[in-house]
Every structure is written in C-alpha cells, then in structure tokens.
Amino acid sequence: MLKILLVEDNKQVADIIFEYFEALDYELDYAATGTLGLKLAEQHTFDVIILDVMLPGIDGIGVCQALRANGNDTPIIMLTARDTQQDELLGLSTGADDYIVKPFDLTLLDARVNALHRRAQQRLFSSNELVIGPLKLKRDEHLVYREEQLIKLNPSCYKILLCLMSNYPNVVTKSTIEDVLWPDDLPDQDILRKHIYLLRSNLNQHFESEMIITIPKVGYKLNVE
C-alpha cells in the first residue's frame, strides 16, 4: 500500500484526489499549507509527495527546495495551473521528479505516482545500502544500523530483516520468510517465531518504538513511523 502526502490548498481538488486514491486503498496524509506540508514530510516517511506550487505559507517550490537541501529524496510530483515551459523547468530544477498541469486526469496522476515509486524502489534496491527510515543495511558488509547505532544480528535475523526491508512498505508473509531461511527443508517446529523475537529484541534494544509489526494470520512488516 502506497503512502502519499498531498499538499494542496484547494479543498475541492484535494477531496477529489483523496476519494480517488483511497478507493485504490492508498494511505494519504494531507496538508493545506506549505508550512504544514514541509513539517509532515520531515517527520514522516512517504512513498510519494504530491505538491501544489501555489500554496499559502511556503510555496511548493520552497517546500521542494527545503526537502532536497535536507537530504529528503522522496519522489515529488508538482501540481500547477500554470502551463509554461519556464514554470516546468523551475519545478524540475528545484528537485521535483515530475510535473502535472491542472486540470489533469486522475488515472494519469495515479500512473505517474506508481512510476515514480517503482523508479525510487529500483534505485534503492540496486545500491549496496538499503535505507528505510532509521534503519540502514549494508549488503556487502552484512551490517545493520538503527539511527547510526550498530545492531548485531545473527545470519538468520539478518536475512529476515533484509527481506522485510526489501519488501517495505508491504507485509511479508510468514511463508515467504520461511522460504528465505529454509529454501530446501522447512523445520517441523515454529522456529521462525523465535527468530522474529530475537530480531525484535536486537532492533529495539535502547529504543522505545517497535520496528516490526505482526499482522495476525498473515506475516510481518516494518514500522518506521
């Protein structure tokens, strides 16, 4: 399920986008000002940000510039009512990934959102480092960090975390993780539960928030809020 931040001061436009995307089972957060949008983008993790250019407070260009200056590389789609090449170049030059002129087709917006998300995932998982929220995993060195603190994991816990991070933000089924750990011979006992317990203990040591959520009768997913 994609998590989207919509920053749009036109309530009618925002309502239409919300209704369309929520019907597709996307999770949306909303800000009517650039100031609030910037705050939400800095405090939470989103798959894509849909950002209007003309906003009260900080405008969309300013929000985009601030996020990129702070190292936030969340894909951004700019929305604008101004259809000029100069406006488009301005938006893209400040760090936006795509640009859509109002009025627009919602199916086109959906396609652009998914295309940007796929592109971001490909960049993320083709590199040596996986970074999901406060978690960083270095493939070559088999090292894991939470908020830059080294987390020591045994090989099985490392494989489970790699699986969860590679599939984030989706839920990973129990059977998928078992296939990763035991591709040829599945143990008779529920050993996976013990490995999950150990992984949780290691990840949560010295931290308050829980990093792994159990989805009853389905599997597990990362919680990086």
Side-chain angles (χ1 to χ4, degrees), residues 140-217:
D140 291 348
E141 302 169 77
H142 280 218
L143 295 178
V144 173
Y145 298 86
R146 178 173 179 179
E147 296 181 8
E148 302 304 323
Q149 179 174 321
L150 179 64
I151 306 295
K152 294 183 179 180
L153 300 177
N154 66 30
S156 294
C157 288
Y158 173 86
K159 289 179 181 179
I160 295 171
L161 183 61
L162 176 59
C163 185
L164 292 173
M165 292 180 70
S166 298
N167 287 280
Y168 177 82
N170 298 319
V171 177
V172 182
T173 64
K174 177 182 174 182
S175 60
T176 297
I177 299 175
E178 288 174 338
D179 287 341
V180 169
L181 295 180
W182 306 287
D184 301 317
D185 187 16
L186 185 65
D188 294 333
Q189 299 178 342
D190 188 7
I191 306 297
L192 177 58
R193 187 178 302 174
K194 296 180 181 179
H195 285 305
I196 293 290
Y197 174 81
L198 181 59
L199 176 58
R200 278 188 167 127
S201 299
N202 290 328
L203 287 178
N204 296 336
Q205 190 176 16
H206 308 305
F207 296 95
E208 294 183 1
S209 60
E210 172 63 62
M211 293 299 300
I212 299 176
I213 297 176
T214 300
I215 309 299
K217 299 182 180 180

Side-chain angles (χ1 to χ4, degrees), residues 63-129:
V63 172
C64 188
Q65 288 176 324
L67 289 175
R68 297 309 189 226
N70 292 334
N72 188 316
D73 60 356
T74 303
I76 294 175
I77 297 178
M78 286 281 202
L79 301 181
T80 181
R82 300 181 302 191
D83 184 12
T84 69
Q85 186 179 42
Q86 183 177 0
D87 290 331
E88 181 176 354
L89 290 175
L90 178 60
L92 296 176
S93 67
T94 55
D97 299 273
D98 205 345
Y99 191 97
I100 295 182
V101 177
K102 299 177 182 177
F104 51 84
D105 187 280
L106 288 168
T107 58
L108 173 62
L109 179 59
D110 181 30
R112 298 282 186 88
V113 165
N114 279 277
L116 284 183
H117 177 60
R118 286 195 302 270
R119 196 181 309 161
Q121 293 296 95
Q122 289 169 357
R123 288 199 303 267
L124 177 64
F125 299 132
S126 64
S127 65
N128 174 49
E129 288 190 358

